[in-house]
Amino acid sequence: QVQLVDSGGDSVQAGGSLRLSCVGSGYTYSGVCMGWFRQAPGKEREGVAAIFTGDGSTYYHDSVKGRFTISQDKVKNTVYLQMNSLKPEDTAMYYCAADLPLGSVPMVSCGTWGDFGYWGQGTQVTVSS
């Protein structure tokens, strides 16, 4: 059973930093797409960052480029989201997500933000001005 456990959310002041962690279990594919999404009250969920674990390729939403960095530790099956220069508009519930291969067909890259089918429970990030 696929399980994603995300953590690391907190309350910080604008300009501060946080690192979110997501530990995945229940799958052993060599290449999967892991991502971070966020949802603020009254807004739709949006993809923030993603990484293809096979080759480390990364993808970012324009609003976080240059401030957020997604990375992985393959040994620990963990994905991180380092968030720097945080802004009040970054306040949201952040969710770890995974897009896994279908059957025996391996993945070669991340697809679209809509492809993610597995989700963590969420961790709250609050940035005050």
Side-chain angles (χ1 to χ4, degrees):
Q1 182 179 357
V2 176
Q3 187 174 19
L4 302 175
V5 179
D6 41 31
S7 62
D10 205 343
S11 296
V12 297
Q13 290 192 328
S17 298
L18 283 174
R19 189 178 79 158
L20 307 183
S21 300
C22 173
V23 181
S25 62
Y27 57 92
T28 57
Y29 303 104
S30 60
V32 303
C33 189
M34 299 295 296
W36 286 96
F37 288 70
R38 66 186 180 188
Q39 187 167 22
K43 294 188 177 182
E44 292 188 355
R45 185 173 59 194
E46 63 178 5
V48 174
I51 184 168
F52 181 63
T53 62
D55 62 8
S57 297
T58 57
Y59 313 83
Y60 296 95
H61 189 280
D62 285 347
S63 65
V64 306
K65 285 180 180 178
R67 300 188 299 122
F68 291 9
T69 303
I70 189 169
S71 62
Q72 62 172 330
D73 183 329
K74 287 189 174 182
V75 174
K76 296 181 179 180
N77 213 24
T78 300
V79 172
Y80 303 99
L81 184 67
Q82 178 66 43
M83 305 186 295
N84 298 328
S85 302
L86 282 162
K87 305 175 181 180
E89 51 263 44
D90 294 318
T91 295
M93 184 71 79
Y94 282 71
Y95 298 91
C96 175
D99 178 19
L100 305 182
L102 294 176
S104 60
V105 180
M107 294 176 66
V108 296
S109 69
C110 287
T112 69
W113 295 116
D115 291 340
F116 291 82
Y118 300 90
W119 298 88
Q121 79 282 2
T123 185
Q124 178 68 38
V125 172
T126 303
V127 185
S128 58
S129 58

